[in-house]
Amino acid sequence: MFQKNISLRTLNTFGIAATAKQFLEVTSLETLEEIVSSHKDLFILSGGSNILLTQDIDKPVIYLNTKGIEIIDKNRDSVWIKAQAGENWHEFVCWCLEKNFGGLENLSLIPGNVGTSPMQNIGAYGVEIKDCFESLEAMEISSGEIRNFTTDDCAFGYRESVFKNTLKGQFIILNVTFKLTAKNHKINDDYGAIKEQLKIANIVDPGINDISRAVIAIRQSKLPDPKEIGNSGSFFKNPVISTIHFLKLQTMHPNIPHYALSEEQIKVPAGWLVEKCGFKGKRFGDAGVHKNQALVLVNYKNAQGKDILALARTIQKTVSQEFEIDLEMEVNII
Ligand code: EPU
């Protein structure tokens, strides 16, 4: 049933040439149930957009590639859509936009699949998936049982969910249901870059498709396309520091961008910190820091996962020395 020694290069957006000792593409729930009944220690691979493979994988790799999008309910204002885990995220967003269903347009062009989107509560340009999330179904690996998770069950946070924390490695997300607007869409255009982009395009009263186009233009101008240069989006999370710490930094760097979360806590962009440490655009062999967005580490061609990890650790150390801030990795290191 399993294929032996399969390269995962095309199945992770970093383009790392790690090998799966045993590999199986799963396209149906029945096959997944069968596997889970006989194997308990599995490596579940989906869009491969948030992992850095630093070694070959000994566990059986399940490449979850289940497809299907369906409208499961609708009323005058809202529509509930269920998408299977293996659906490509951006294609799913486009499907919703074609039908004039609103809510996911700010999340256009994010690499990865539907099934992994709740794992790290993907977010961009003022929206996170938790804002449109209704529920998901996931299979418990130990029992094979399918459980329903509501928004509360998922414990979403900034690039966080229960699946990255207490339930890590225990469930396989099978499908996700979103509640979208069927009319009276809520337009999220507060993010500065979106406003600028709409102005350039001369759009004063944007619809959901205008927002999607603006987001796509911004992402294409700043972020490398994983099909061309391997990457996994933001490698680090934006750190939250105390206001006291921030004010100290601000005296030395008056232009430090920041976002107050409360009176005591301030979020600062990791990209700015990494750039200030001189890493932006730097290349070390085939591993590097992207020239337009210092938060994105890249594989120019043949970098190994451990090369990228070594670079990430050097960045963490330098940022810690310069700013007394510990950057946390957003990407899962395997
Ligand atoms: N900045 C720099 N130098 C850089 C990069 C950024 O100075 O090299 C500064 C910018 O000037 C700006 C600030 O940092 O003042 C914020 O930059 P940007 O708007 O590009 O957003 P970000 O905080 O770097 C976050 C998300 C992205 C998401 C964008 C837009 C995280 C870790 N990253 O990036 O998410 O697309 O906001 O909402 O929260 C991802 O998670 O993979 C990802 C791409």
Side-chain angles (χ1 to χ4, degrees):
M1 191 177 220
F2 283 94
Q3 290 176 277
K4 296 249 181 309
N5 297 323
I6 297 295
S7 170
L8 299 176
R9 186 174 204 142
T10 57
L11 297 178
N12 68 99
T13 58
F14 253 123
I16 302 290
T19 298
K21 304 262 168 74
Q22 300 179 71
F23 177 90
L24 181 69
E25 176 174 351
V26 170
T27 54
S28 76
L29 181 60
E30 292 70 34
T31 313
L32 190 64
E33 281 172 334
E34 205 181 304
I35 298 294
V36 165
S37 69
S38 52
H39 296 76
K40 296 299 167 200
D41 203 10
L42 297 167
F43 181 88
I44 310 295
L45 177 66
S46 183
S49 60
N50 206 36
I51 52 171
L52 177 65
L53 297 168
T54 62
Q55 54 192 322
D56 291 339
I57 303 183
D58 294 329
K59 294 178 186 183
V61 172
I62 301 299
Y63 173 49
L64 192 56
N65 204 15
T66 47
K67 301 284 186 196
I69 304 176
E70 54 181 326
I71 298 172
I72 56 167
D73 205 355
K74 199 170 179 193
N75 64 23
R76 259 187 8 190
D77 301 314
S78 308
V79 57
W80 284 260
I81 322 264
K82 185 192 267 193
Q84 297 302 314
E87 286 289 343
N88 173 274
W89 176 261
H90 180 64
E91 285 169 22
F92 171 59
V93 173
C94 292
W95 185 95
C96 296
L97 288 167
E98 270 163 33
K99 302 222 159 12
N100 194 33
F101 298 150
L104 300 176
E105 52 283 354
N106 293 54
L107 305 177
S108 297
L109 212 61
I110 295 185
N113 286 354
V114 167
T116 37
S117 61
M119 281 270 181
Q120 51 151 345
N121 182 25
I122 58 171
Y125 309 104
V127 173
E128 292 180 333
I129 81 148
K130 76 165 171 41
D131 304 328
C132 298
F133 180 89
E134 176 73 17
S135 64
L136 64 79
E137 285 184 310
M139 185 185 287
E140 189 176 28
I141 297 174
S142 62
S143 64
E145 273 170 29
I146 296 177
R147 205 178 120 185
N148 194 66
F149 287 78
T150 62
T151 307
D152 282 350
D153 298 332
C154 291
F156 290 123
Y158 167 54
R159 299 296 191 277
E160 286 293 348
S161 77
V162 73
F163 302 104
K164 273 183 90 175
N165 293 302
T166 45
L167 298 184
K168 191 171 178 173
Q170 295 178 37
F171 281 86
I172 303 170
I173 296 175
L174 302 175
N175 56 64
V176 186
T177 299
F178 297 90
K179 181 185 178 190
L180 303 180
T181 48
K183 61 177 194 182
N184 300 329
H185 305 304
K186 182 177 177 297
I187 299 298
N188 292 291
D189 61 356
D190 286 346
Y191 206 90
I194 294 191
K195 279 197 195 312
E196 280 166 34
Q197 198 60 42
L198 292 171
K199 208 168 159 199
I200 293 169
N202 242 329
I203 293 166
V204 279
D205 186 16
I208 52 177
N209 278 288
D210 297 315
I211 298 289
S212 172
R213 278 190 286 271
V215 167
I216 290 172
I218 300 163
R219 291 189 77 96
Q220 285 176 336
S221 72
K222 277 195 191 171
L223 298 167
D225 179 350
K227 289 196 195 89
E228 285 156 26
I229 305 177
N231 77 89
S232 201
S234 301
F235 198 91
F236 302 101
K237 288 187 190 179
N238 286 331
V240 175
I241 59 174
S242 71
T243 304
I244 298 168
H245 189 169
F246 172 75
L247 291 173
K248 207 171 101 190
L249 292 180
Q250 204 182 28
T251 54
M252 288 175 284
H253 307 279
N255 297 327
I256 181 170
H258 58 283
Y259 174 73
L261 296 179
S262 66
E263 280 192 14
E264 296 85 34
Q265 289 193 311
I266 302 221
K267 201 182 238 189
V268 292
W272 185 87
L273 299 168
V274 177
E275 179 173 348
K276 276 283 159 196
C277 289
F279 286 103
K280 193 167 181 172
K282 287 275 159 64
R283 184 170 173 164
F284 306 84
D286 268 357
V289 178
H290 193 247
K291 63 178 188 337
N292 297 338
Q293 167 52 289
L295 198 45
V296 177
L297 303 192
V298 293
N299 171 14
Y300 281 103
K301 194 161 184 216
N302 290 317
Q304 294 190 343
K306 56 181 173 33
D307 303 328
I308 308 262
L309 184 60
L311 173 57
R313 292 208 169 117
T314 305
I315 291 172
Q316 280 178 318
K317 203 169 147 201
T318 315
V319 168
S320 167
Q321 282 163 353
E322 289 287 318
F323 296 103
E324 290 174 41
I325 293 176
D326 292 326
L327 288 185
E328 193 189 330
M329 296 185 196
E330 192 199 296
V331 172
N332 294 300
I333 310 299
I334 309 297

Short mmCIF file of all heavy atoms in Angstrom, two decimals, residues 26-37 42 44 62 64 66 139 172-174:
data_model
loop_
_atom_site.label_atom_id
_atom_site.label_comp_id
_atom_site.label_asym_id
_atom_site.label_seq_id
_atom_site.Cartn_x
_atom_site.Cartn_y
_atom_site.Cartn_z
N VAL A 26 -3.70 9.87 0.31
CA VAL A 26 -5.04 9.45 0.70
C VAL A 26 -6.07 10.41 0.11
O VAL A 26 -5.98 11.62 0.32
CB VAL A 26 -5.16 9.41 2.25
CG1 VAL A 26 -6.60 9.21 2.68
CG2 VAL A 26 -4.28 8.31 2.82
N THR A 27 -7.03 9.85 -0.63
CA THR A 27 -8.03 10.71 -1.26
C THR A 27 -9.45 10.39 -0.77
O THR A 27 -10.40 11.00 -1.23
CB THR A 27 -7.99 10.58 -2.80
OG1 THR A 27 -8.12 9.20 -3.11
CG2 THR A 27 -6.70 11.13 -3.39
N SER A 28 -9.57 9.44 0.14
CA SER A 28 -10.91 9.14 0.64
C SER A 28 -10.89 8.89 2.14
O SER A 28 -9.87 8.45 2.70
CB SER A 28 -11.49 7.91 -0.07
OG SER A 28 -10.89 6.75 0.46
N LEU A 29 -12.03 9.15 2.75
CA LEU A 29 -12.17 8.94 4.20
C LEU A 29 -12.00 7.46 4.54
O LEU A 29 -11.40 7.10 5.55
CB LEU A 29 -13.55 9.45 4.64
CG LEU A 29 -13.88 9.35 6.11
CD1 LEU A 29 -12.88 10.15 6.94
CD2 LEU A 29 -15.29 9.84 6.38
N GLU A 30 -12.52 6.60 3.65
CA GLU A 30 -12.43 5.15 3.90
C GLU A 30 -10.98 4.71 4.04
O GLU A 30 -10.62 3.98 4.95
CB GLU A 30 -13.10 4.35 2.76
CG GLU A 30 -14.60 4.50 2.68
CD GLU A 30 -15.06 5.90 2.22
OE1 GLU A 30 -14.35 6.51 1.38
OE2 GLU A 30 -16.10 6.39 2.70
N THR A 31 -10.13 5.18 3.12
CA THR A 31 -8.72 4.79 3.17
C THR A 31 -8.09 5.31 4.46
O THR A 31 -7.32 4.61 5.12
CB THR A 31 -7.94 5.34 1.96
OG1 THR A 31 -8.69 5.07 0.80
CG2 THR A 31 -6.55 4.76 1.84
N LEU A 32 -8.44 6.54 4.81
CA LEU A 32 -7.86 7.12 6.02
C LEU A 32 -8.27 6.30 7.25
O LEU A 32 -7.44 6.02 8.12
CB LEU A 32 -8.32 8.58 6.17
CG LEU A 32 -7.61 9.38 7.24
CD1 LEU A 32 -6.13 9.54 6.91
CD2 LEU A 32 -8.24 10.76 7.41
N GLU A 33 -9.54 5.91 7.28
CA GLU A 33 -10.02 5.10 8.42
C GLU A 33 -9.25 3.79 8.52
O GLU A 33 -8.86 3.36 9.60
CB GLU A 33 -11.53 4.84 8.28
CG GLU A 33 -12.34 6.05 8.71
CD GLU A 33 -13.84 5.94 8.42
OE1 GLU A 33 -14.23 5.19 7.49
OE2 GLU A 33 -14.60 6.62 9.10
N GLU A 34 -9.03 3.20 7.36
CA GLU A 34 -8.29 1.92 7.32
C GLU A 34 -6.87 2.09 7.87
O GLU A 34 -6.41 1.30 8.69
CB GLU A 34 -8.22 1.48 5.85
CG GLU A 34 -8.06 0.01 5.62
CD GLU A 34 -7.99 -0.26 4.12
OE1 GLU A 34 -8.93 0.15 3.39
OE2 GLU A 34 -6.97 -0.80 3.69
N ILE A 35 -6.20 3.15 7.42
CA ILE A 35 -4.82 3.40 7.87
C ILE A 35 -4.79 3.64 9.37
O ILE A 35 -3.97 3.07 10.09
CB ILE A 35 -4.24 4.66 7.15
CG1 ILE A 35 -4.17 4.44 5.65
CG2 ILE A 35 -2.87 5.05 7.71
CD1 ILE A 35 -3.20 3.39 5.22
N VAL A 36 -5.70 4.50 9.82
CA VAL A 36 -5.70 4.88 11.24
C VAL A 36 -6.01 3.68 12.14
O VAL A 36 -5.55 3.60 13.28
CB VAL A 36 -6.66 6.07 11.46
CG1 VAL A 36 -6.99 6.28 12.92
CG2 VAL A 36 -6.05 7.35 10.88
N SER A 37 -6.76 2.71 11.61
CA SER A 37 -7.07 1.53 12.43
C SER A 37 -5.84 0.65 12.64
O SER A 37 -5.75 -0.09 13.61
CB SER A 37 -8.21 0.73 11.80
OG SER A 37 -7.75 0.15 10.61
N LEU A 42 1.71 8.39 12.86
CA LEU A 42 1.70 8.83 11.46
C LEU A 42 2.22 10.25 11.34
O LEU A 42 2.12 11.03 12.28
CB LEU A 42 0.27 8.79 10.92
CG LEU A 42 -0.41 7.43 10.86
CD1 LEU A 42 -1.91 7.61 10.61
CD2 LEU A 42 0.20 6.59 9.74
N ILE A 44 1.21 13.42 9.21
CA ILE A 44 0.17 13.89 8.29
C ILE A 44 0.69 15.10 7.54
O ILE A 44 1.07 16.12 8.14
CB ILE A 44 -1.14 14.27 9.04
CG1 ILE A 44 -1.57 13.14 9.99
CG2 ILE A 44 -2.24 14.63 8.05
CD1 ILE A 44 -1.96 11.85 9.32
N ILE A 62 1.31 10.34 5.52
CA ILE A 62 0.00 10.34 4.87
C ILE A 62 -0.17 11.68 4.21
O ILE A 62 -0.21 12.73 4.88
CB ILE A 62 -1.14 10.13 5.91
CG1 ILE A 62 -0.96 8.82 6.65
CG2 ILE A 62 -2.51 10.21 5.24
CD1 ILE A 62 -0.99 7.60 5.77
N LEU A 64 -2.57 13.91 2.73
CA LEU A 64 -4.03 14.03 2.74
C LEU A 64 -4.49 14.90 1.58
O LEU A 64 -4.25 16.11 1.56
CB LEU A 64 -4.46 14.64 4.09
CG LEU A 64 -5.95 14.57 4.42
CD1 LEU A 64 -6.45 13.14 4.39
CD2 LEU A 64 -6.20 15.18 5.80
N THR A 66 -7.82 14.94 0.09
CA THR A 66 -9.27 14.77 -0.12
C THR A 66 -9.85 16.06 -0.70
O THR A 66 -9.47 17.15 -0.29
CB THR A 66 -9.96 14.46 1.22
OG1 THR A 66 -9.48 15.39 2.19
CG2 THR A 66 -9.66 13.05 1.68
N MET A 139 -10.41 13.58 12.83
CA MET A 139 -10.36 12.18 13.28
C MET A 139 -9.30 12.02 14.35
O MET A 139 -8.16 12.45 14.17
CB MET A 139 -10.02 11.28 12.08
CG MET A 139 -10.07 9.80 12.42
SD MET A 139 -9.51 8.81 11.02
CE MET A 139 -10.88 8.96 9.91
N ILE A 172 -6.53 14.40 12.98
CA ILE A 172 -6.36 14.73 11.56
C ILE A 172 -7.59 15.55 11.16
O ILE A 172 -8.72 15.06 11.25
CB ILE A 172 -6.31 13.46 10.69
CG1 ILE A 172 -5.17 12.55 11.17
CG2 ILE A 172 -6.14 13.81 9.22
CD1 ILE A 172 -5.19 11.16 10.52
N ILE A 173 -7.37 16.78 10.74
CA ILE A 173 -8.51 17.63 10.35
C ILE A 173 -9.02 17.13 8.99
O ILE A 173 -8.26 17.02 8.02
CB ILE A 173 -8.11 19.11 10.28
CG1 ILE A 173 -7.70 19.59 11.70
CG2 ILE A 173 -9.26 19.97 9.74
CD1 ILE A 173 -7.17 21.00 11.79
N LEU A 174 -10.31 16.80 8.95
CA LEU A 174 -10.89 16.20 7.74
C LEU A 174 -11.54 17.24 6.84
O LEU A 174 -11.44 17.17 5.61
CB LEU A 174 -11.96 15.17 8.13
CG LEU A 174 -11.50 14.03 9.04
CD1 LEU A 174 -12.70 13.18 9.43
CD2 LEU A 174 -10.44 13.19 8.34
#
